[in-house]
Amino acid sequence: MKTVIEVQNLCKTYGSLVAVNSISFEVYEGEIFGMVGPNGAGKTTTIECIEGLRRPDDGSIRLLGFDPWHKRREIAEQIGIQLQESALPSRLHVNEALALFGSFYEHHANAGDLIERLGLSDKESTAFQKLSNGQKQRLFIALALINQPKAVFFDELTTGLDPQARHSMWDLVRKIRDDGCTVFLTTHYMQEAERLCDRVAILDHGQIIAPDSPEALVRSMGIEKRLVFTLKDGQTMPPLESLPQISRVEQTGTRLVIYGQGDRFASSVVYFMEETGIQFLDLHTEQPNMEDVFLSLTGREMRE
């Protein structure tokens, strides 16, 4: 696979604060690569160093074969960027913004095609201040794509969006990847990383933990499955710990969460309850996910 981004021993400090502490990773052509972590983990600093917006204190970065700090002009023609915090003049219309940004580049996409592709056809003459949050994010994606980039960077793309708008953004990101553009995104939504990314790097306290595919990360941690249900009133749960597939049981009132492993984990619990006459409601299983991986690796809640 062709390497689009190569980071070796990247370091960045702000006074006594170590924002990025000697991290190394690669991003390959045609993939969606995600960097996840809580606020303050160093995600934005890392992505800004890769984009050439910040100068690293130590280490090396190659983006599309260039040093992004020393070759910013060459890099600017080949990448697209959506910053974590962005704004435009309130009276600037959608089509005017795309025409303006397109004029910055030697080669650029057709603005009308981008407007249609991103679902902004009925808003092309609308002022920025009158767009919804989701429409503004779509416009910023369009501006990031106006120069037909080989790689595009999205920094906390869906923060502040409602669930419907967030899913719409995910569809757009997949389409961008499918059209041949490499995508690098940062997020603190673990579900977003799990749904979108081909590979994920977890960043915590300025250090990278376990870059791999979401599926491989979940599988490698050996995290327990969960069986959740509610006991009918008056029911008392016999000692489930006697089953070999079960590692622990948590009970809050009538709600139980059973943790365990194995192919027959859920069926053995259900069979045991039926045999002992225990009646239950709302039975469902919960598979391990990226949130579990993060907590297992860092011991911290995702949101801070």
Side-chain angles (χ1 to χ4, degrees), residues 275-289:
E275 286 293 299
T276 53
I278 300 298
Q279 296 179 307
F280 53 89
L281 302 168
D282 304 324
L283 177 74
H284 64 276
T285 59
E286 295 179 355
Q287 297 297 320
N289 55 33

Side-chain angles (χ1 to χ4, degrees), residues 21-266:
N21 188 6
S22 191
I23 66 173
S24 300
F25 62 93
E26 294 180 342
V27 178
Y28 304 118
E29 185 177 52
E31 74 172 341
I32 300 176
F33 183 90
M35 180 167 283
V36 303
N39 295 329
K43 303 186 303 296
T44 296
T45 294
T46 298
I47 200 171
E48 289 181 350
C49 287
I50 295 170
E51 294 163 345
L53 300 178
R54 290 188 185 274
R55 185 171 190 170
D57 294 328
D58 201 2
S60 66
I61 302 172
R62 305 294 290 182
L63 171 58
L64 296 169
F66 296 99
D67 178 329
W69 180 255
H70 292 101
K71 297 292 184 179
R72 280 178 285 177
R73 183 180 297 274
E74 292 86 346
I75 286 296
E77 289 287 337
Q78 301 185 62
I79 67 170
I81 299 174
Q82 170 267 326
L83 299 173
Q84 186 172 350
E85 296 183 6
S86 303
L88 292 171
S90 60
R91 296 184 180 180
L92 189 68
H93 292 181
V94 168
N95 53 3
E96 294 172 336
L98 283 162
L100 175 63
F101 275 66
S103 69
F104 299 156
Y105 302 100
E106 183 177 352
H107 303 287
H108 58 80
N110 181 282
D113 290 344
L114 274 178
I115 288 173
E116 182 177 357
R117 177 181 172 189
L118 291 163
L120 293 170
S121 296
D122 60 339
K123 299 295 181 180
E124 61 178 327
S125 298
T126 300
F128 179 76
Q129 64 182 351
K130 295 184 178 180
L131 299 176
S132 69
N133 287 338
Q135 290 163 351
K136 288 177 180 177
Q137 288 292 60
R138 286 175 178 267
L139 176 55
F140 289 131
I141 290 177
L143 296 177
L145 299 176
I146 190 65
N147 61 326
Q148 300 174 306
K150 295 179 181 178
V152 65
F153 296 84
F154 296 132
D155 193 5
E156 304 288 359
L157 179 64
T158 63
T159 298
L161 298 184
D162 61 53
Q164 183 178 9
R166 183 174 297 129
H167 281 267
S168 178
M169 287 296 159
W170 294 351
D171 290 340
L172 283 174
V173 172
R174 294 187 189 100
K175 182 64 166 61
I176 291 166
R177 185 270 312 277
D178 292 344
D179 287 342
C181 187
T182 301
V183 178
F184 186 115
L185 65 87
T186 69
T187 181
H188 61 266
Y189 295 125
M190 298 304 281
Q191 183 189 32
E192 182 164 282
E194 195 162 17
R195 293 283 189 89
L196 276 181
C197 298
D198 299 301
R199 290 189 304 130
V200 175
I202 297 175
L203 192 64
D204 187 40
H205 294 304
Q207 293 186 313
I208 277 188
I209 306 172
D212 210 333
S213 70
E215 297 83 3
L217 284 173
V218 171
R219 190 167 54 248
S220 68
M221 296 302 298
I223 298 170
E224 299 162 316
K225 301 175 184 177
R226 297 181 292 272
L227 189 67
V228 183
F229 58 89
T230 302
L231 292 173
K232 281 194 172 181
D233 292 340
Q235 294 282 306
T236 301
M237 197 67 197
L240 279 167
E241 289 88 344
S242 60
L243 295 178
Q245 295 88 350
I246 292 176
S247 57
R248 58 194 172 101
V249 178
E250 292 179 358
Q251 182 169 359
T252 305
T254 59
R255 183 177 184 272
L256 279 89
V257 182
I258 315 297
Y259 296 82
Q261 294 278 17
D263 295 335
R264 299 189 65 253
F265 162 63

